[in-house]
Amino acid sequence: MESLSPLLWYGKPVQSQVQLKGRDLLTLKNFTGEEIQYMLWLSADLKFRIKQKGEYLPLLQGKSLGMIFEKRSTRTRLSTETGFALLGGHPSFLTTQDIHLGVNESLTDTARVLSSMTDAVLARVYKQSDLDILAKEATIPIVNGLSDLYHPIQILADYLTLQEHYGSLKGLTLSWIGDGNNILHSIMMSAAKFGMHLQAATPKGYEPDPNIVKLAEQYAKENGTRLSMTNDPLEAARGGNVLITDTWISMGQEDEKKKRLQAFQGYQVTMKTAKVAASDWTFLHCLPRKPEEVDDEVFYSPRSLVFPEAENRKWTIMAVMVSLLTDYSPVLQKPKF
């Protein structure tokens, strides 16, 4: 079911009780369901006002953003740079050649320097612990652009895409088929807060972090949702509304390629997988995609939402920056989650 046109939501600005200004976004574990909903509401608002209505909203005029990238990325870099600039701000891109975290300058010193020159930092790093130190030492918001443990800004884009397609998130069953990685961890830290069920299949030896599983089980219990973990891809796909996978070999794991390809045999998402899913199934992949992860028939099918999902990386990161740096309130009526 497609959601109602945003034109039907447009009204007077609504003051939300949620206040995120000045916060860090390191993991969705630190955010309530209402707070995550607010970021998605703001994403829908900005997308409607800027893309649909053609408004110019210089909400970040005079603001600057430091972008630390230890790992390359098409979507994270492009969505953040273009989104921050579209809102009137100035993004500064820093590679490992510009800023080698904790090597040629301590994390503490880096955090203090960046705090004096920028209004926020988005860091795409190898280690979550580096983000934790940056956040502890900085006096400005630190946003996780990806780490070994979490990828929260990707999940916001996924949820906005699903909300647009289904009209609501509550009651959806998410079927994860792949590695027990940072994307799965971020889903586990948030899905139950929307009333979504999660069925995850990972190969033996590639399960998600046990501490994160334990917390996800607690969230499921608190919110009355189902969480199931298996090593059988078809079991995870059975009855699922959303089939989700990701790369099997992340940056930094190239030397494990042969071993991983062997371990993930049978995990490719195909129409055979989709046959056991719900009749309204859709497919998500955060990209870049390799054919062994999902075949062309599914990836390029009308059920695939991967390209709207990629575009929504821009609107959701814009919403994150606006919510952490300004007092702006959405003009759209709050969508149904």
Side-chain angles (χ1 to χ4, degrees), residues 9-78:
W9 304 343
Y10 205 54
K12 294 180 180 177
V14 181
Q15 291 297 322
S16 170
Q17 299 303 309
V18 173
Q19 178 54 259
L20 301 180
K21 190 176 180 182
R23 294 267 299 271
D24 298 312
L25 175 53
L26 305 181
T27 165
L28 294 176
K29 175 174 74 174
N30 300 335
F31 289 79
T32 65
E34 188 183 8
E35 289 170 338
I36 304 170
Q37 281 183 19
Y38 178 78
M39 288 188 276
L40 296 179
W41 175 16
L42 186 47
S43 304
D45 174 86
L46 294 175
K47 187 174 183 179
F48 175 62
R49 293 192 68 183
I50 296 170
K51 184 179 181 180
Q52 302 298 330
K53 295 202 72 188
E55 293 184 48
Y56 176 52
L57 299 176
L59 301 172
L60 299 178
Q61 191 163 3
K63 304 286 187 187
S64 58
L65 175 72
M67 298 169 58
I68 300 172
F69 275 58
E70 287 190 322
K71 288 186 171 187
R72 67 186 183 276
S73 167
T74 303
R75 280 148 297 278
T76 303
R77 178 177 180 181
L78 200 58

Side-chain angles (χ1 to χ4, degrees), residues 211-229:
N211 292 323
I212 292 174
V213 173
K214 190 175 179 182
L215 193 51
E217 289 172 343
Q218 182 185 318
Y219 289 155
K221 188 175 179 182
E222 288 170 358
N223 293 279
T225 62
R226 295 189 312 275
L227 172 65
S228 65
M229 313 296 295

Side-chain angles (χ1 to χ4, degrees), residues 277-315:
S279 59
D280 64 350
W281 69 271
T282 54
F283 175 76
L284 293 179
H285 190 305
C286 67
L287 306 180
R289 161 257 186 178
K290 304 290 188 302
E292 63 263 20
E293 299 150 7
V294 51
D295 67 7
D296 283 358
E297 193 177 4
V298 170
F299 187 77
Y300 291 111
S301 78
R303 301 296 192 98
S304 174
L305 302 177
V306 294
F307 296 110
E309 176 189 12
E311 181 195 336
N312 280 336
R313 286 295 306 278
K314 179 170 180 170
W315 303 109

Side-chain angles (χ1 to χ4, degrees), residues 169-173 190-197 223-225 337:
L169 297 177
K170 189 174 182 181
L172 291 179
T173 297
S190 54
K193 296 173 184 178
F194 284 89
M196 290 188 282
H197 311 292
N223 293 279
T225 62
F337 293 107

